[in-house]
Amino acid sequence: MIKVGERKGGACRFFDESQNRCGIYEHRPVQCRELKCWDTSDLERRHNSVRLSREDVLRSKPSLLKLVGNHEERFSYVKLAEAVAEYRNSGGTHANPLMDLLRYEFAFRPFVVDRASIPREAVDFLFGRPFIRTIRMHGMIVEPDEEGVLTLRPVKTTMP
């Protein structure tokens, strides 16, 4: 199983909107082949089976594996959730810990591409989705401006 990248708005990167179909149907990943919205048992069975992890793939690259571990330790989703909770509990007045976490994780990615010669396309595989995209699950959006300065704002919701 692989994590299929998404386009803005959450659509699968391989979905061909003009044709209203999968653009890689003949070569689609196993989770796409087994997903039936009306019966998820095949996907659940596959999800619960033994499968490769990043550790398995990176076993021959201990320095990369260590870098992944350091990233997970410093930029865990638990730390993100704690920083969001602290920000909310302060009524939005104590943004520094959250913004520091977002800034450092945002800067970390291009740094490792440059310094560790990691291909840009491998970054999400190694470190997961960036916080500036996953912060949305907390009802916020982070946008970098042209100079790389991050701005935090709530997600606008529209009423039907």
Side-chain angles (χ1 to χ4, degrees), residues 53-123:
S53 67
R54 281 185 291 197
E55 290 78 16
D56 295 322
V57 174
L58 298 174
R59 189 166 287 127
S60 66
K61 307 258 186 210
S63 59
L64 264 183
L65 196 53
K66 183 176 180 183
L67 188 59
V68 168
N70 289 340
H71 179 270
E72 288 177 3
E73 185 178 309
R74 181 151 188 199
F75 303 113
S76 70
Y77 286 122
V78 170
K79 289 186 179 186
L80 178 62
E82 290 169 352
V84 167
E86 184 178 342
Y87 171 74
R88 287 196 172 127
N89 290 339
S90 74
T93 60
H94 195 55
N96 287 347
L98 176 57
M99 289 306 297
D100 285 348
L101 189 63
L102 292 166
R103 281 186 202 106
Y104 288 133
E105 206 271 344
F106 181 71
F108 174 84
R109 291 164 182 272
F111 177 80
V112 297
V113 166
D114 183 49
R115 295 290 176 103
S117 300
I118 293 173
R120 189 172 311 282
E121 59 273 7
V123 172

Side-chain angles (χ1 to χ4, degrees), residues 14-29:
F14 300 113
F15 182 68
D16 182 345
E17 291 180 32
S18 66
Q19 301 288 317
N20 197 29
R21 65 181 188 88
C22 176
I24 62 164
Y25 190 79
E26 299 300 320
H27 306 286
R28 66 197 186 280

Side-chain angles (χ1 to χ4, degrees), residues 8-64:
K8 271 192 171 177
C12 174
R13 73 179 320 139
F14 300 113
F15 182 68
D16 182 345
E17 291 180 32
S18 66
Q19 301 288 317
N20 197 29
R21 65 181 188 88
C22 176
I24 62 164
Y25 190 79
E26 299 300 320
H27 306 286
R28 66 197 186 280
V30 68
Q31 68 266 32
C32 297
R33 281 184 265 137
E34 293 186 356
L35 179 62
K36 296 177 226 118
C37 297
W38 61 91
D39 179 8
T40 59
S41 60
D42 287 343
L43 184 61
E44 290 171 26
R45 178 183 45 76
R46 177 70 66 183
H47 180 74
N48 292 327
S49 66
V50 176
R51 53 189 188 270
L52 286 174
S53 67
R54 281 185 291 197
E55 290 78 16
D56 295 322
V57 174
L58 298 174
R59 189 166 287 127
S60 66
K61 307 258 186 210
S63 59
L64 264 183

